[in-house]
Amino acid sequence: MAVPNKFILYNYWRSSCSWRVRSVLELKQIPYEYRPVNLVKGEQYSEEFRRLNPLNQVPTLQVQTSDGHSEILHESMAIIDYLEQTFPTPSIYPKDPIERAKVITIAETIVSGIQPIQNLSVGRKIEELSDSKIRSGDWSREWIRMKFQKLEIFLKSMSGTHTFGNHLTLADFCLVPQVANAIRFKVDMDEFPLLKRLYEFLLTVEPIAKAQPSNQPDKQ
Amino acid sequence: MAVPNKFILYNYWRSSCSWRVRSVLELKQIPYEYRPVNLVKGEQYSEEFRRLNPLNQVPTLQVQTSDGHSEILHESMAIIDYLEQTFPTPSIYPKDPIERAKVITIAETIVSGIQPIQNLSVGRKIEELSDSKIRSGDWSREWIRMKFQKLEIFLKSMSGTHTFGNHLTLADFCLVPQVANAIRFKVDMDEFPLLKRLYEFLLTVEPIAKAQPSNQPDKQ
C-alpha cells in the first residue's frame, strides 16, 4: 500500500474546525504544509478551491502518497479519523469502547449540535431571510449560550482536569475552539465556570496552544 | 472486562438520528429493546428522561453489562462508534483509511451540515425570534435544498449502487433518513436525481428497510 508522505492543510486561522485538525496534527507530530484560505474574503468559493472541495469548506487535507498519487479529504471529523487510523499513537481516544463513545458524545455535541448552527453561513442566511430582524451575531450568541447551559451540566459528571477525565482527547480539541467562538460572539463565560476553567487550562496544553489561531501565519 | 448483554434504545420512530442507529443495530444483528420517546409530545424533557440524558435527545442507548453495571450513551455517531468497536463485523466502513475517511465525510456532511440545522428545534427558535417572519418548515426546506445541491454534485464522483461505491456503509445509514426528512419537508427530489435514485434503492436494502420509521412500534 502507498504510504502518505506529504500533507497540505487548506485552512483558515480563525476557523474552529481548522483548529481541531491542527491540534490533532500537533499531537501526532505530523509535519504539514499550511495553505490559508481566507473565508472572510470568500476564497472558499473560488474556482481553484472549488476543484479541491466542491463543498466550499475548510479544513481540507491533501494527502500525497509515495506512489505520486494524491487524495483530498474534507470535513474535520473525517480528516481526524484518517489521521487517527494512519498515526494511531498518541491516540485521541481512551481505549475502553464506552469511554471512547463518551468522548465522541462530547465531540459530536459540539461538532453537530453547536458549531454548524452558530456558524456564519447559517447566521447570514437567517439575517437575510428575516430582513435583518434577527442579526447574525445575536443568533450565534443566543444559540451557543442555550447549548452551553446543557453542556455545562452534562460535563459535570465527566470532566476532570480535561474535558473527559484527566487526559487529552478529541473532546478537548472540539471544546476549546468552540469556547473561543463563544468569546468572539461575546457570550458571558462567567455563566459557565466549568467550561471556562477547562478552556483556560487547555489553552496552555501544547498541541492546542501551538494550533491556536494567534499562532497561524495568516493571522490578522 | 464486563461484556454487554442487553441494549435498550430510547428513540422515536420518525427521528432521523434514531433511524441511523437502528440501521446499524440491524446490520450487526444486535437484539435490542425498543423504548419510544415521543418528541412531538415533548417526552424528551420529562424528569425521567432528563435523568438518562440531560441533553434531552434521542437516540440514547442504555448498555447493560454482565457484571450488572449499566452505561448510558448519547449522540447517534457516538452510539454507532461504540457498536462498531464492540461488534466489528460486518463493518460500516471500508478497510482502506482514505476510503473510510470519505465515508465519514459524506456522513458528517449530513450529520453536522444538514440534519441539525433543518431540525425542528432550530426551525422553531428561528420562527420565534423572527416573529414568524420565517416559518419553521420553510427554513428546513430551504436549508436542505441548498445543501442537497452541493451533495448531489459531491457524490457524483463517489457513488455507485450505494452512497459510497457499491457497498453498504455508514454513508447510506445517514443519507436515507436525511432524504426521508427532505420528502417530509416537501423538497422536490426530482431536482436531485442521484440522491433520489440512491434513496429508492437503499430503502429496499434489509438493515435500512427493517429500521425504517414505518416499521417501528410507535409509528403513528
Side-chain angles (χ1 to χ4, degrees):
Chain A
M1 204 176 74
V3 176
N5 62 2
K6 189 178 178 184
F7 297 99
I8 301 172
L9 184 68
Y10 294 84
N11 77 132
Y12 182 55
W13 67 290
R14 218 165 55 178
S15 142
S16 59
C17 304
S18 297
W19 189 355
R20 289 175 201 154
V21 171
R22 292 193 305 256
S23 297
V24 176
L25 286 161
E26 293 294 343
L27 174 78
K28 294 177 180 292
Q29 300 190 296
I30 303 167
Y32 66 98
E33 190 180 318
Y34 189 105
R35 296 254 182 107
V37 179
N38 190 319
L39 300 187
V40 175
K41 286 190 185 157
E43 287 178 359
Q44 72 276 30
Y45 298 108
S46 72
E47 255 318 291
E48 191 191 343
F49 190 71
R50 197 194 307 265
R51 275 195 294 273
L52 281 177
N53 186 346
L55 302 171
N56 312 110
Q57 286 169 340
V58 295
T60 293
L61 185 72
Q62 185 171 359
V63 181
Q64 295 180 359
T65 51
S66 52
D67 61 357
H69 200 63
S70 166
E71 292 279 358
I72 306 288
L73 298 178
H74 320 294
E75 288 285 340
S76 63
M77 296 297 272
I79 295 172
I80 288 171
D81 184 86
Y82 170 78
L83 296 173
E84 177 73 10
Q85 291 288 318
T86 317
F87 301 88
T89 312
S91 176
I92 59 173
Y93 296 117
K95 281 213 174 76
D96 176 72
I98 288 277
E99 291 193 349
R100 177 183 155 113
K102 289 184 176 177
V103 164
I104 299 174
T105 298
I106 300 168
E108 281 292 333
T109 298
I110 295 162
V111 166
S112 71
I114 308 180
Q115 193 281 330
I117 302 164
Q118 57 91 73
N119 199 12
L120 196 60
S121 63
V122 172
R124 281 187 178 155
K125 192 81 195 160
I126 294 173
E127 185 166 312
E128 177 201 320
L129 290 176
S130 73
D131 288 338
S132 299
K133 193 164 175 57
I134 306 174
R135 303 309 294 256
S136 176
D138 294 340
W139 168 262
S140 302
R141 186 169 49 255
E142 171 79 7
W143 189 265
I144 294 170
R145 196 174 157 254
M146 245 171 62
K147 290 292 172 170
F148 272 14
Q149 286 169 347
K150 285 181 195 284
L151 190 59
E152 175 86 7
I153 294 165
F154 186 62
L155 288 183
K156 276 185 182 142
S157 62
M158 295 193 178
S159 298
T161 54
H162 293 63
T163 311
F164 182 82
N166 301 310
H167 297 283
L168 198 59
T169 66
L170 176 63
D172 302 307
F173 302 142
C174 295
L175 180 70
V176 173
Q178 184 55 59
V179 175
N181 279 357
I183 293 169
R184 267 178 61 213
F185 286 120
K186 303 197 191 325
V187 171
D188 179 7
M189 288 303 297
D190 287 337
E191 199 184 330
F192 310 107
L194 174 56
L195 300 183
K196 190 179 170 187
R197 192 258 293 162
L198 289 168
Y199 174 74
E200 287 173 356
F201 165 66
L202 290 165
L203 262 188
T204 69
V205 172
E206 192 170 297
I208 295 175
K210 275 194 174 173
Q212 71 184 309
S214 59
N215 284 338
Q216 306 316 309
D218 54 336
K219 189 223 154 189
Q220 275 162 5
Chain B
M1 202 176 75
V3 176
N5 63 2
K6 187 176 179 185
F7 297 99
I8 301 172
L9 185 67
Y10 294 84
N11 76 131
Y12 182 55
W13 66 290
R14 217 165 57 178
S15 143
S16 58
C17 305
S18 296
W19 190 354
R20 290 175 200 153
V21 170
R22 291 194 304 257
S23 296
V24 175
L25 286 161
E26 291 295 344
L27 173 78
K28 294 178 181 291
Q29 300 189 297
I30 303 167
Y32 66 99
E33 189 179 319
Y34 189 105
R35 296 254 182 107
V37 179
N38 190 319
L39 300 187
V40 174
K41 285 191 187 159
E43 289 178 358
Q44 71 275 29
Y45 298 108
S46 71
E47 255 316 293
E48 191 191 344
F49 191 70
R50 196 194 305 265
R51 275 196 293 273
L52 281 176
N53 186 345
L55 301 170
N56 312 111
Q57 287 170 339
V58 296
T60 293
L61 185 72
Q62 185 171 0
V63 181
Q64 295 179 0
T65 52
S66 52
D67 60 357
H69 200 62
S70 166
E71 292 278 358
I72 307 288
L73 298 178
H74 322 293
E75 287 285 339
S76 62
M77 296 296 271
I79 295 172
I80 288 170
D81 183 87
Y82 170 79
L83 296 173
E84 176 74 9
Q85 292 287 320
T86 316
F87 301 89
T89 311
S91 176
I92 58 173
Y93 296 118
K95 282 214 175 78
D96 176 72
I98 287 280
E99 291 192 350
R100 177 184 156 112
K102 288 183 176 177
V103 164
I104 298 174
T105 298
I106 300 168
E108 281 291 334
T109 298
I110 295 162
V111 167
S112 71
I114 307 179
Q115 194 280 331
I117 303 165
Q118 57 92 75
N119 198 13
L120 196 59
S121 63
V122 172
R124 281 188 179 157
K125 191 80 195 161
I126 294 173
E127 186 167 313
E128 176 201 320
L129 290 177
S130 74
D131 287 337
S132 299
K133 192 164 177 61
I134 307 173
R135 303 308 294 255
S136 175
D138 294 340
W139 167 261
S140 302
R141 185 169 51 256
E142 170 80 7
W143 189 265
I144 294 170
R145 195 172 158 255
M146 245 172 60
K147 290 291 171 171
F148 271 15
Q149 286 168 347
K150 286 181 193 284
L151 189 60
E152 176 86 7
I153 294 166
F154 187 61
L155 287 182
K156 276 187 180 139
S157 61
M158 294 193 180
S159 298
T161 52
H162 292 62
T163 311
F164 182 82
N166 302 309
H167 298 283
L168 197 60
T169 65
L170 176 64
D172 302 307
F173 301 141
C174 295
L175 181 71
V176 173
Q178 184 55 59
V179 174
N181 279 357
I183 293 168
R184 267 178 61 213
F185 285 120
K186 302 195 191 329
V187 172
D188 179 7
M189 287 304 298
D190 287 337
E191 197 185 330
F192 310 106
L194 174 55
L195 299 183
K196 191 179 171 185
R197 192 258 292 159
L198 288 169
Y199 174 75
E200 286 172 356
F201 165 66
L202 290 166
L203 261 189
T204 69
V205 171
E206 191 170 299
I208 295 174
K210 274 195 174 174
Q212 71 184 307
S214 59
N215 284 338
Q216 305 316 308
D218 54 335
K219 189 221 155 190
Q220 274 162 5

